[in-house]
Amino acid sequence: MKKALKVLGKIAAIGAAVYAALFAVFYFDLDGKALFKFVEPTLVKHYDNMPRRDPMSRPYGDKPTNE
Amino acid sequence: MADIMNAIGKTLDLANDLPPMRMPDVKMPNIKLPNVNLPKVELPKVDTSKAKAAAEKLPKFSVPKFSLPKFEKKAKYPNPAFFKAKDNMDWKAQGENLKEVGGIIMQLFKEADWKDFLLRQKNGFAADFARVKSEVEELSAMTPEERKDIFLHGEKHLGKLYRSGCMATVRREWRGAKDTAYDFYEWLHMWGMLLGTFSHDLVPALNATFHYRWMISYMCCVGFMDKNTLGQKGSALKMSHLMIYDIFRYVAENLVFLAKCDEKNGNSKELNKKVVLFDEMTMGQIMAGFPDLLGIPYQLMPVFLVSEIDQLTCVPYIDAVESFGLPADTCPVPSSECGALVLDALPHMGACFISSSMPCDGSVMASSYMSRRFPDLPVFHLTFPVRYEYEETVEDAAEDIKACIKFVEEKTGAKWNWDAYFTNMKRFNEETKYELEKWEVNKTPYPQIIGPAYELFRKWNYEMDGGSDPRVPKTFRKVDKIMKQAYERREEAWRGKMKYRGIVWSCPAHYYANFSNWIANCWGVDILVEMESLNFTKPLETEDKELALQDLARLYERMVMRRHTNGGYRNVVDELWRQCEAWNVEIIIMYQNVACKNMSTLQGILDEQARDKGYHMIWLEHDLMDPRTVSRKSMRAKVNEYMRTVMKAEPVDPSLVEFDDENAM
Ligand code: SF4
């Protein structure tokens, strides 16, 4: 019985800690900040580096075939 | 007669006054019955053989067997097979992609000016510390009653959530204990849904994030949800969350499909055979007759919707196409679409594409551009007559729809299914019925459902969903219930901020999709309805096939923007005064897209008539998807000036009069 209570207590403590952590992420907008401060700057550089199709280099012979 | 009734009434009253009667206790005697022996009677034998023989000669009736209808498992939406369709990824190319991203992270790590980074973090912490300190000081200067009020009902000054130069808010709003808890739950709900949906096919979805700049903007959709619900509490907050959730579920699912189909990412040949693309202005209802196909409003995700979430997304598109020679005064809707093609920001996918001449000629340009970019994609142009009020044009439009159906059948091998179409349209009719209920409530002195979430939901449901998703009516019902209960309680949709009744007219600025939220929070101007919501509300035909096609044509002809801004004088000028009267408004927010030629011709007429009729008309210039021409701040300044000088009003929340959100999403 005591063991079961202990396990339950631990589960409740972990649950409370997860809840508090998630609430902190929510309340301080840490998800938004992480995206803007780290994810976006990294990816923007990647997007700028990516080779993209250049419409000006399309060969003359390449005619549209949409029906 | 009246005398008789009075007499009866008096008698009944007298009867009510009489004391209750008690029955006397009576004892019954025990009575014993005598035993009687009955005589045995034998019945005569009857020969039944003849009757049996005759009965055999009679025609036999077989009782029809009734089998109870089998309850089919509810069809899942969207079809799970779409998610399961096999990807044909070019793993080598994707590997290169991943390597590149890894390389950039390493490079950023190595090249970072750590001193500068730490200094910025230090400054950030210092600013945070100063903010927390001032908030604590503010709180400690309050009386216990004021503190209790903030704890229970939320903060009053929302402008302090923005910090100059930042894309994200400094923190989320404190709406009071109960509403913050609810907001937190919805935040978890939204992230859970996003992660769950992306995990349906995670690899292509991740690759698309590495490939397309606009994908990253969608990761901030939770922040967009905050902007739309800022200042809302109780029932209004609940309704907004319910509606936004449905929009983002649709968006998340379609983003996965885009990633799965795109040649550069999932490249699912199997799914591509079933995908019909349509341009962002073409309504989705036509796909209701093709339940086995997947209709995707193609430019909606990379251009149209994303520009409402992130104000800066379309800027590179516009610059790209203008550098090719497109005049800068073209409407940013088609400009951005073409620019996205120049920058190769649209996925290469689908079995065919339905374009349209809607809402105006800019779309024709974008469609041509699109078909030249993807020559392997067959295109059908829906070109409905613009004068939609002339009933004689309806047959032409219905013919156009028939031809479009035939085109889809030919290109995909699918067959038009009337049962599926009618089922969806019944659902759409039910949704329209609920929409009309919202209008009725908002026309009363106690409007309940106001703010950007409602406006976005209406546009999305009318244009994109169109009754296709069976999960959506549930949201309508829930919202309807909450709205009516709130109305019964005479709740304030924007607590303490219901000062003026307003209407929005003309095409709104995409980069300030939450403008009606700001104007309610700052000045107490409550936007009851937008022009874009006031579209076709007649129930669509769900029995007769010919009439159904005509109704569908009528619906398409009255799509967003087309119904009013392209509908001629009567539909955009006279209609405004009719609506102002119906909704009993005093302020008109008149948007003026500086590139919209249709509306610019009417400015003088609208101004003059508004003055004559005694309405306050605030003109708000904007450039639809380009915040560099007229910033959000300039738009706010225009309202601030009008409210102070003409209305002689005081702001409800002075912290929102001036703040910097030039970089905010
Ligand atoms: S804003 Fe004006 S020009 Fe642009 S698509 Fe709408 S109606 Fe056409």
Side-chain angles (χ1 to χ4, degrees):
Chain A
M1 185 64 185
K2 256 190 180 176
K3 244 190 177 178
L5 278 177
K6 254 189 181 177
V7 173
L8 278 178
K10 267 189 188 168
I11 293 173
I14 293 170
V18 170
Y19 185 91
L22 284 173
F23 188 79
V25 174
F26 159 77
Y27 190 64
F28 296 107
D29 199 1
L30 298 182
D31 49 335
K33 284 174 189 151
L35 283 169
F36 301 135
K37 284 191 177 163
F38 304 108
V39 182
E40 224 229 354
T42 313
L43 286 180
V44 161
K45 208 161 181 198
H46 166 65
Y47 300 139
D48 288 344
N49 283 352
M50 277 187 82
R52 305 263 177 200
R53 173 190 170 272
D54 175 12
M56 298 302 270
S57 62
R58 191 164 164 188
Y60 275 125
D62 187 9
K63 292 202 180 81
T65 56
N66 311 90
E67 293 145 62
Chain B
M1 187 64 182
D3 292 345
I4 297 170
M5 292 310 287
N6 279 342
I8 294 172
K10 274 183 190 162
T11 317
L12 285 173
D13 287 348
L14 275 175
N16 283 341
D17 291 343
L18 286 174
M21 298 264 284
R22 295 192 101 220
M23 292 297 285
D25 289 342
V26 181
K27 277 195 180 168
M28 297 293 285
N30 279 340
I31 301 169
K32 273 197 172 182
L33 289 171
N35 286 338
V36 182
N37 281 338
L38 287 170
K40 278 183 184 171
V41 181
E42 279 206 0
L43 290 169
K45 279 185 181 168
V46 180
D47 184 8
T48 56
S49 57
K50 276 185 188 170
K52 271 184 189 167
E56 256 158 42
K57 278 180 194 165
L58 285 171
K60 279 182 184 167
F61 289 101
S62 63
V63 179
K65 277 184 187 168
F66 289 101
S67 59
L68 285 170
K70 276 183 194 163
F71 286 102
E72 277 180 34
K73 267 193 184 172
K74 261 195 180 172
K76 282 203 170 172
Y77 186 90
N79 187 344
F82 296 156
F83 285 118
K84 284 184 203 135
K86 194 175 165 294
D87 300 326
N88 304 91
M89 309 236 312
D90 179 349
W91 288 102
K92 212 174 141 205
Q94 305 306 337
E96 302 272 305
N97 239 343
L98 264 180
K99 229 168 92 186
E100 157 122 8
V101 174
I104 288 174
I105 294 173
M106 282 307 287
Q107 195 187 345
L108 280 176
F109 196 76
K110 278 187 208 153
E111 286 176 3
D113 181 348
W114 288 105
K115 255 190 185 169
D116 177 63
F117 176 78
L118 289 175
L119 189 74
R120 269 190 286 131
Q121 300 314 308
K122 205 176 127 194
N123 291 343
F125 279 125
D128 278 338
F129 184 74
R131 179 179 54 77
V132 173
K133 199 175 148 215
S134 80
E135 283 185 18
V136 171
E137 277 168 7
E138 222 176 281
L139 272 176
S140 43
M142 286 176 188
T143 62
E145 276 71 40
E146 283 170 334
R147 274 200 288 273
K148 191 179 161 199
D149 182 52
I150 289 204
F151 178 75
L152 292 177
H153 304 119
E155 58 189 308
K156 307 273 184 290
H157 302 299
L158 301 174
K160 63 185 177 195
L161 299 179
Y162 294 91
R163 185 186 291 158
S164 179
C166 283
M167 286 174 107
T169 48
V170 293
R171 62 169 169 79
R172 286 197 161 88
E173 180 193 355
W174 178 260
R175 301 172 194 264
K178 200 171 146 203
D179 290 318
T180 304
Y182 176 72
D183 203 31
F184 173 50
Y185 160 75
E186 285 296 347
W187 174 83
L188 282 173
H189 192 198
M190 183 70 96
W191 271 118
M193 180 275 289
L194 290 174
L195 296 176
T197 309
F198 281 108
S199 66
H200 279 314
D201 210 346
L202 192 61
V203 180
L206 264 180
N207 281 327
T209 312
F210 289 151
H211 204 96
Y212 297 113
R213 199 182 286 263
W214 46 265
M215 274 296 275
I216 197 74
S217 300
Y218 280 106
M219 301 218 172
C220 313
C221 66
V222 182
F224 181 65
M225 179 174 87
D226 296 333
K227 281 195 302 190
N228 286 313
T229 56
L230 212 68
Q232 288 192 322
K233 286 162 194 137
S235 308
L237 179 68
K238 271 187 203 151
M239 291 190 282
S240 287
H241 272 307
L242 282 169
M243 292 183 287
I244 291 184
Y245 182 85
D246 275 20
I247 302 175
F248 278 111
R249 183 179 55 201
Y250 173 88
V251 169
E253 286 164 356
N254 277 289
L255 285 177
V256 174
F257 294 139
L258 283 182
K260 261 185 93 68
C261 291
D262 182 19
E263 208 177 63
K264 289 162 250 154
N265 290 294
N267 192 24
S268 171
K269 299 208 163 56
E270 206 184 311
L271 184 58
N272 267 316
K273 283 184 209 150
K274 294 183 188 317
V275 169
V276 177
L277 305 174
F278 39 98
D279 77 23
E280 65 201 4
M281 285 299 172
T282 304
M283 299 172 81
Q285 281 82 347
I286 201 163
M287 292 310 296
F290 292 108
D292 302 328
L293 300 180
L294 173 62
I296 300 186
Y298 181 52
Q299 297 130 333
L300 185 84
M301 312 299 159
V303 182
F304 200 81
L305 185 70
V306 75
S307 66
E308 300 194 318
I309 295 174
D310 177 358
Q311 62 167 332
L312 302 171
T313 323
C314 288
V315 171
Y317 301 159
I318 294 169
D319 283 352
V321 76
E322 284 178 3
S323 73
F324 271 50
L326 190 79
D329 68 347
T330 313
C331 172
V333 176
S335 293
S336 299
E337 284 168 10
C338 296
L341 285 161
V342 172
L343 290 179
D344 211 15
L346 297 186
H348 191 175
M349 58 184 283
C352 55
F353 179 63
I354 303 172
S355 87
S356 74
S357 58
M358 299 181 287
C360 52
D361 48 357
S363 282
V364 182
M365 167 189 66
S367 301
S368 308
Y369 222 103
M370 165 87 192
S371 60
R372 283 171 201 169
R373 165 66 185 91
F374 298 118
D376 56 342
L377 194 67
V379 181
F380 185 91
H381 295 276
L382 274 172
T383 49
F384 293 122
V386 178
R387 289 285 158 259
Y388 56 81
E389 280 194 338
Y390 301 161
E391 270 296 304
E392 53 272 35
T393 65
V394 169
E395 263 172 46
D396 276 359
E399 284 306 314
D400 215 8
I401 289 200
K402 273 188 208 162
C404 183
I405 291 172
K406 198 162 161 258
F407 166 81
V408 175
E409 286 181 337
E410 276 169 16
K411 299 300 165 202
T412 62
K415 278 269 152 275
W416 174 264
N417 179 334
W418 276 109
D419 288 339
Y421 175 77
F422 286 145
T423 306
N424 278 18
M425 287 312 108
K426 279 178 193 159
R427 203 180 289 137
F428 183 57
N429 286 343
E430 188 198 346
E431 292 168 355
T432 307
K433 202 185 87 208
Y434 281 117
E435 178 65 25
L436 293 176
E437 303 261 312
K438 292 177 189 163
W439 295 6
E440 284 315 306
V441 169
N442 275 7
K443 283 177 185 171
T444 69
Y446 306 98
Q448 293 300 330
I449 187 157
I450 49 185
Y454 162 52
E455 294 148 15
L456 289 171
F457 183 78
R458 164 66 177 156
K459 274 183 261 181
W460 164 75
N461 175 256
Y462 185 75
E463 286 273 316
M464 302 306 157
D465 172 49
S468 62
D469 187 343
R471 296 165 294 182
V472 175
K474 207 172 151 196
T475 304
F476 269 98
R477 275 176 228 129
K478 276 190 195 167
V479 168
D480 188 68
K481 196 174 163 201
I482 299 173
M483 176 187 74
K484 285 180 180 156
Q485 283 170 350
Y487 176 76
E488 288 302 319
R489 292 192 290 264
R490 302 287 190 260
E491 279 181 24
E492 281 193 324
W494 236 289
R495 280 184 208 160
K497 294 175 178 172
M498 309 285 289
K499 288 180 91 174
Y500 308 97
R501 295 171 70 91
I503 190 170
V504 156
W505 211 248
S506 193
C507 315
H510 271 223
Y511 56 85
Y512 211 168
N514 57 321
F515 176 82
S516 62
N517 182 295
W518 171 78
I519 202 170
N521 278 317
C522 184
W523 290 101
V525 178
D526 302 304
I527 304 299
L528 306 171
V529 73
E530 283 208 15
M531 178 193 81
E532 306 281 35
S533 303
L534 298 164
N535 288 317
F536 197 56
T537 51
K538 178 183 169 287
L540 299 182
E541 173 63 39
T542 54
E543 304 278 336
D544 184 293
K545 295 174 185 172
E546 275 306 311
L547 294 180
L549 287 176
Q550 290 185 6
D551 262 0
L552 191 60
R554 287 189 188 97
L555 175 82
Y556 270 56
E557 285 177 318
R558 289 157 179 84
M559 59 160 292
V560 164
M561 284 200 272
R562 196 176 205 261
R563 152 113 167 80
H564 299 98
T565 53
N566 290 274
Y569 183 92
R570 206 145 40 93
N571 290 304
V572 75
V573 180
D574 292 347
E575 173 80 357
L576 170 62
W577 313 129
R578 207 171 63 78
Q579 297 296 350
C580 283
E581 215 169 288
W583 298 76
N584 190 21
V585 300
E586 51 199 312
I587 292 183
I588 302 164
I589 298 295
M590 181 57 80
Y591 279 126
Q592 192 184 26
N593 171 6
V594 291
C596 182
K597 315 291 180 295
N598 303 321
M599 288 305 289
S600 59
T601 55
L602 293 166
Q603 184 170 0
I605 297 169
L606 285 164
D607 241 348
E608 203 178 286
Q609 295 191 12
R611 245 194 312 271
D612 288 348
K613 290 177 191 293
Y615 290 113
H616 290 284
M617 185 180 271
I618 310 180
W619 284 89
L620 273 193
E621 293 81 11
H622 66 84
D623 200 4
L624 211 98
M625 291 175 176
D626 192 344
R628 295 167 302 177
T629 320
V630 186
S631 67
R632 290 176 180 170
K633 208 172 178 175
S634 316
M635 289 170 71
R636 288 195 294 269
K638 194 84 190 283
V639 176
N640 293 341
E641 200 180 306
Y642 193 96
M643 295 305 286
R644 277 203 189 113
T645 54
V646 182
M647 305 292 284
K648 307 268 182 257
E650 283 299 318
V652 185
D653 180 353
S655 72
L656 282 171
V657 172
E658 221 176 304
F659 63 95
D660 183 10
D661 62 346
E662 302 301 88
N663 286 343
M665 289 295 255

